[in-house]
Amino acid sequence: MTASASTAPQSPALDADSHDLIRVQGARENNLKDISVEIPKRRLTVFTGVSGSGKSSLVFSTIAAESQRMINETYSSFLQGFMPSLARPDVDVLSGLTTAIIVDQERMGANSRSTVGTATDANALLRILFSRLGQPYLGGPQAFSFNVASISGAGAVTMEKGGVTVKERRSFSVTGGMCPRCEGMGTVNDIDLSQLYDDSKSLNQGALTIPGYTADGWGVKIFTGSGFLDADKPIRDYTKKEQHDFLYKEPVKVKVGDINMTYEGLVPKVQKSMLSKDREAMQPHIRAFVDRAVTFATCPDCNGTRLSEGARSSRIDGVNIGDACAMQISDLAAWVRTLTDPSVAPLLTALQHLFDSFTEIGLGYLSLDRPAGTLSGGEAQRTKLIRHLGSSLTDVTYVFDEPTIGLHPHDIQRMNELLLRLRDKGNTVLVVEHKPEMIAIADHVIDLGPGAGTAGGSVCFEGTLEGLRSSDTLTGRHLDYRARVKEAVRTPTGALEIRGATAHNLQGVDVDIPLGVLVVVTGVAGSGKSSLVHGSVPAGAGVVSIDQGAIRGSRRSNPATYTGLLEPIRKAFAKANGVKPALFSSNSEGACPNCNGAGVIFTDLGPMATVSTTCEVCEGRRFDASVLEFRLGGRDISEVLAMSVTDAVEFFGAGEARIPAAHTILLGMADVGLGYLSLGQPLTTLSGGERQRLKLATHLSEKGGVYVLDEPTTGLHLADVEQLLGLLDRLVDSGKSVIVVEHHQAVMAHADWIIDLGPGAGHDGGRIVFEGTPADLVAARSTLTGQHLAAYVGA
């Protein structure tokens, strides 16, 4: 055999090998300025830039949205009719796309029945395990589900058999695991009836004091027109039967006017409409009503496990399913390893892999019975990531939105390893990120900017990390920026004493939080920071608490409506022109009649994408032409809403259009660095960092002596963080006390006092491991935080 014959023939180059790039040409979505980029496949690409520079517009609204739209188009028109219709992004060419899997920061389901276990399918696997191995044997997996009620029934059924009609008696029963007392909620609620109605009034006089129940609305009409109640009699004069019908009557069909409706008592109606939602997901006015009218207590029958007595009685090695769900997941993983029954071997392997993924991703401190709505944005994002960790898919594009949110510098290293592992399996990983620790692992960096909003939307840099460092872009200049530890710290004016705090995993914590200074509470994810601050700092008079909850808003809401700025402006317009304030709202009487104040006309094309076109009558201005004739300071209402915050500060600060109330709100928005935003820009087009700061601006105008901020640097570029620190300093210098729960080292270095919780997460945390100045923490290096802060400041 010749030497040439023994060498394997070279495979010819194929066209398929040339598709190693995702090409974007002429992207104009939101504020993108006709940009073109090439993103290498099977590499980790990080997108950087100030908040609002167009990162999410490029990654989510262009690349990921088009990938999802094209996948949806492979389904039949019938199926597409049931799916959300996605419009094609405003881009000239998009080539080389692969299937996109989006792992975003959206909070998980707001349903109060949703837990970490149900959201990750861990409960489904555990229910099968208990139905096979649990003693005494109860039944199938649904016998352990707190969402399935036990029901039984019997009766006669009529059927045809051999041409003869036969009657047979049949019975059935379903064994579920739902606790009958709390209906699987884990809590029972007691409603204060005096908060639902004023018993000195009749229904026609507006007795109901529940939000949304107006005297002329359908909520009240069904009571007045049902025939069960006298609508003109004060509620305190009702007979026992009327009182029962009014408050507790079972659902029954009634005719109100010509309309068939279902009538039920007020209490079950309120329970179904308002209490079935998770408290965090309620609108602020509904949440305030629920806090006022309802007291929640742990269900005495199931002790908060949500499970029936039967489901709690079946055990494996002395552990029932309620105990298993209440365990910390890292402990639950150890318990599953002790089970060796070969009949359920594949199930045990799947459970072990799932629980190991939790621990690996840094969520081993959670328990499966934790309500999904109580997870922070970072925890929710990592919980969603779990289902992709063991996936055998390759050549997929994973899109992450700030995966480091809520992570201590110690946990970021772990997240970096997970992203690199996804890349090494042959996937393309796209990450929108601000933290230098994560930018450091990028194979390719795309920096957008140079500014935010209309000043952004251009590509400032494309290339390697080293190239970014030496480039003269804002991100490049800040990449190696290190905050210095404060030399001189402020002297406290007092202390907030916390004694014996035991919320969640806190282990009887005693701590004095200094007042009149900038205090940073830090520690690894799950160490008990939020539990200490939100659970022990008394909410209420004088305390302004700003959590991580996202701003919710529709296309009709904008910075002016969200901050309450529009109210004084409308009144000033009305006063200057001698007309009603409602005329100056595009959601009320002043709306353009053609587009109903939306500014655009939506055309629904069934399974095709809904087409939106600018309204021809108002030309996108949203208002009726007659309203635009009224002016204040020479401008009409649509021109005022088109102004930037900076221009509006000047406009409302002096002269004929001087409105002190509006000026104060605008100064707050300018303070947090949103001077470039236009007042009428829809909230749905704002980036995560812009929403975070808008929320901050709104709360900072509230009167209070103590401000509690939960991770205010979320979504902020390193340059924006400097501005935030300046804002916090101004707050403290004006005599306020500021308590910040934060992982960002620049904020820690800037603090007057640091409280570090740990040493670990879950039951390995919940203790104070350090309290003192940042300089002492760096010098001691006694905690994980101290070591990372010392490395950060270069001490």
Side-chain angles (χ1 to χ4, degrees):
M1 184 186 282
T2 62
S4 61
S6 64
T7 55
Q10 292 293 311
S11 57
L14 300 172
D15 286 347
D17 299 332
S18 65
H19 294 281
D20 278 339
L21 294 170
I22 295 175
R23 289 187 179 82
V24 182
Q25 287 176 12
R28 292 175 295 277
E29 196 68 26
N30 294 334
N31 66 333
L32 297 179
K33 292 177 179 163
D34 208 11
I35 64 171
S36 299
V37 292
E38 291 189 339
I39 302 164
K41 284 190 187 173
R42 293 177 283 284
R43 296 289 180 273
L44 194 150
T45 302
V46 174
F47 294 79
T48 59
V50 295
S51 168
S53 59
K55 303 180 298 296
S56 294
S57 299
L58 176 60
V59 180
F60 290 93
S61 307
T62 305
I63 298 170
E66 178 64 354
S67 171
Q68 288 206 310
R69 187 185 73 85
M70 294 182 87
I71 289 169
N72 286 2
E73 283 193 351
T74 62
Y75 300 117
S76 67
S77 298
F78 175 73
L79 277 180
Q80 285 181 51
F82 295 100
M83 300 167 85
S85 54
L86 303 166
R88 187 179 189 280
D90 190 0
V91 59
D92 294 336
V93 178
L94 262 177
S95 65
L97 288 180
T98 64
T99 306
I101 293 176
I102 299 172
V103 187
D104 59 17
Q105 302 164 21
E106 283 295 313
R107 299 293 274 267
M108 293 178 75
N111 191 321
S112 47
R113 292 186 177 279
S114 180
T115 65
V116 170
T118 60
T120 56
D121 295 338
N123 271 27
L125 296 175
L126 272 180
R127 290 199 296 265
I128 299 170
L129 181 71
F130 274 87
S131 70
R132 301 293 183 272
L133 301 184
Q135 292 297 328
Y137 175 76
L138 274 194
Q142 64 185 17
F144 297 92
S145 169
F146 55 73
N147 287 329
V148 178
S150 295
I151 52 172
S152 58
V157 292
T158 308
M159 61 184 94
E160 294 282 331
K161 264 190 181 176
V164 182
T165 304
V166 182
K167 271 191 177 180
E168 283 186 14
R169 184 172 173 75
R170 293 278 173 92
S171 62
F172 76 96
S173 70
V174 173
T175 306
M178 180 191 284
C179 166
R181 171 83 180 268
C182 64
E183 296 185 351
M185 303 296 266
T187 56
V188 285
N189 49 59
D190 191 15
I191 296 180
D192 179 356
L193 298 179
S194 67
Q195 296 290 342
L196 302 187
Y197 56 83
D198 178 350
D199 66 358
S200 65
K201 293 180 179 175
S202 69
L203 289 172
N204 282 341
Q205 290 170 327
L208 297 187
T209 54
I210 306 165
Y213 283 69
T214 52
D216 55 349
W218 277 110
V220 175
K221 268 185 192 166
I222 190 164
F223 286 101
T224 55
S226 64
F228 298 120
L229 308 168
D230 181 347
D232 295 314
K233 187 198 284 190
I235 292 174
R236 63 162 66 128
D237 298 338
Y238 279 3
T239 62
K240 271 197 171 170
K241 184 175 186 317
E242 283 177 320
Q243 197 105 32
H244 177 268
D245 288 348
F246 173 52
L247 292 174
Y248 304 108
K249 192 169 181 70
E250 295 286 311
V252 57
K253 289 274 186 242
V254 294
K255 201 162 192 164
V256 179
D258 296 329
I259 302 167
N260 289 322
M261 299 181 82
T262 302
Y263 175 94
E264 66 180 326
L266 187 63
V267 170
K269 197 170 186 159
V270 167
Q271 283 173 329
K272 283 178 191 167
S273 63
M274 293 183 184
L275 305 186
S276 58
K277 262 192 184 169
D278 189 64
R279 184 185 170 278
E280 308 300 318
M282 293 174 183
Q283 292 170 292
H285 67 290
I286 302 281
R287 190 185 311 161
F289 164 73
V290 168
D291 289 346
R292 203 170 58 237
V294 188
T295 50
F296 294 94
T298 304
C299 172
D301 286 14
C302 67
N303 213 11
T305 61
R306 306 172 177 236
L307 295 159
S308 64
E309 197 178 338
R312 299 195 309 274
S313 68
S314 182
R315 296 173 182 268
I316 302 174
D317 293 348
V319 173
N320 68 29
I321 192 166
D323 300 334
C325 290
M327 281 184 199
Q328 189 169 302
I329 289 173
S330 53
D331 296 345
L332 185 56
W335 177 73
V336 168
R337 281 198 169 76
T338 63
L339 306 177
T340 52
D341 194 310
S343 66
V344 288
L347 190 60
L348 293 173
T349 308
L351 277 168
Q352 280 170 18
H353 172 74
L354 181 62
F355 296 148
D356 288 346
S357 297
F358 268 104
T359 311
E360 206 175 337
I361 209 165
L363 293 178
Y365 60 87
L366 294 178
S367 59
L368 295 182
D369 61 3
R370 168 97 176 251
T374 65
L375 297 181
S376 69
E379 286 170 335
Q381 186 174 29
R382 284 178 285 151
T383 304
K384 291 178 205 167
L385 180 57
I386 283 168
R387 43 176 82 237
H388 304 302
L389 283 183
S391 168
S392 51
L393 290 173
T394 61
D395 256 331
V396 169
T397 301
Y398 284 97
V399 186
F400 290 92
D401 190 5
E402 281 194 74
T404 58
I405 284 184
L407 291 185
H408 187 272
H410 170 68
D411 301 308
I412 290 178
Q413 185 58 40
R414 199 186 259 163
M415 181 55 99
N416 283 351
E417 287 164 9
L418 289 170
L419 295 182
L420 290 172
R421 199 183 329 151
L422 281 175
R423 178 204 67 185
D424 294 343
K425 278 168 56 179
N427 297 307
T428 307
V429 181
L430 309 181
V431 183
V432 172
E433 189 50 82
H434 295 291
K435 293 266 174 79
E437 298 97 321
M438 184 153 276
I439 299 171
I441 65 164
D443 302 310
H444 188 73
V445 180
I446 295 176
D447 187 37
L448 291 156
T454 49
S458 305
V459 176
C460 298
F461 173 83
E462 213 181 331
T464 62
L465 179 69
E466 291 314 312
L468 178 66
R469 265 206 179 91
S470 54
S471 73
D472 192 32
T473 65
L474 194 60
T475 306
R477 291 197 297 274
H478 279 85
L479 205 54
D480 293 319
Y481 163 79
R482 296 290 180 261
R484 289 207 309 279
V485 171
K486 222 183 219 174
E487 303 291 326
V489 295
R490 300 177 182 93
T491 309
T493 56
L496 182 70
E497 294 185 2
I498 294 173
R499 295 290 176 266
T502 53
H504 299 317
N505 64 331
L506 295 178
Q507 302 183 15
V509 169
D510 296 336
V511 65
D512 291 344
I513 299 179
L515 296 176
V517 294
L518 176 57
V519 179
V520 170
V521 180
T522 185
V524 297
S527 58
K529 304 178 298 297
S530 296
S531 303
L532 176 68
V533 174
H534 295 303
S536 306
V537 175
V543 177
V544 177
S545 184
I546 308 170
D547 62 11
Q548 292 179 358
I551 287 180
R552 287 185 173 81
S554 68
R555 205 195 122 68
R556 286 180 175 274
S557 45
N558 53 45
T561 58
Y562 178 78
T563 56
L565 170 68
L566 202 55
E567 198 61 33
I569 293 177
R570 281 202 301 252
K571 285 178 179 164
F573 261 98
K575 193 174 177 185
N577 295 285
V579 290
K580 286 195 298 187
L583 282 175
F584 302 99
S585 166
S586 61
N587 296 327
S588 185
E589 291 179 30
C592 161
N594 190 45
C595 63
N596 292 327
V600 289
I601 304 277
F602 294 102
T603 311
D604 184 3
L605 301 176
M608 311 288 286
T610 300
V611 177
S612 61
T613 49
T614 305
C615 172
E616 292 170 3
V617 177
C618 67
E619 296 175 338
R621 289 201 284 262
R622 300 177 171 224
F623 290 91
D624 189 6
S626 61
V627 174
L628 300 181
E629 290 169 14
F630 299 119
R631 294 183 174 267
L632 177 71
R635 307 255 184 140
D636 66 42
I637 185 75
S638 71
E639 289 169 336
V640 166
L641 290 175
M643 276 184 191
S644 70
V645 169
T646 313
D647 294 344
V649 167
E650 207 176 304
F651 182 71
F652 291 114
E656 187 197 334
R658 184 171 172 273
I659 309 173
H663 193 244
T664 308
I665 296 172
L666 287 162
L667 284 176
M669 288 167 73
D671 260 356
V672 295
L674 294 177
Y676 60 88
L677 271 192
S678 71
L679 303 183
Q681 185 176 341
L683 282 190
T684 47
T685 63
L686 298 190
S687 72
E690 286 168 338
R691 290 180 185 208
Q692 178 78 357
R693 285 180 291 165
L694 185 62
K695 181 175 173 182
L696 198 59
T698 312
H699 285 290
L700 291 182
S701 61
E702 291 176 23
K703 296 283 179 280
V706 180
Y707 287 84
V708 178
L709 287 77
D710 198 347
E711 290 199 52
T713 59
T714 301
L716 297 192
H717 185 267
L718 300 159
D720 299 321
V721 172
E722 285 180 47
Q723 192 165 16
L724 176 74
L725 292 175
L727 175 69
L728 297 181
D729 273 344
R730 288 197 296 279
L731 268 179
V732 175
D733 292 340
S734 69
K736 312 284 189 195
S737 303
V738 179
I739 303 167
V740 184
V741 176
E742 191 51 85
H743 295 292
H744 204 293
Q745 294 103 316
V747 182
M748 291 183 211
H750 201 77
D752 297 310
W753 192 258
I754 287 185
I755 297 170
D756 192 12
L757 280 111
H763 57 46
D764 299 326
R767 293 190 291 277
I768 303 280
V769 289
F770 175 86
E771 46 183 325
T773 63
D776 294 344
L777 178 63
V778 168
R781 286 185 173 80
S782 57
T783 69
L784 279 171
T785 306
Q787 291 158 22
H788 282 280
L789 187 58
Y792 177 80
V793 297

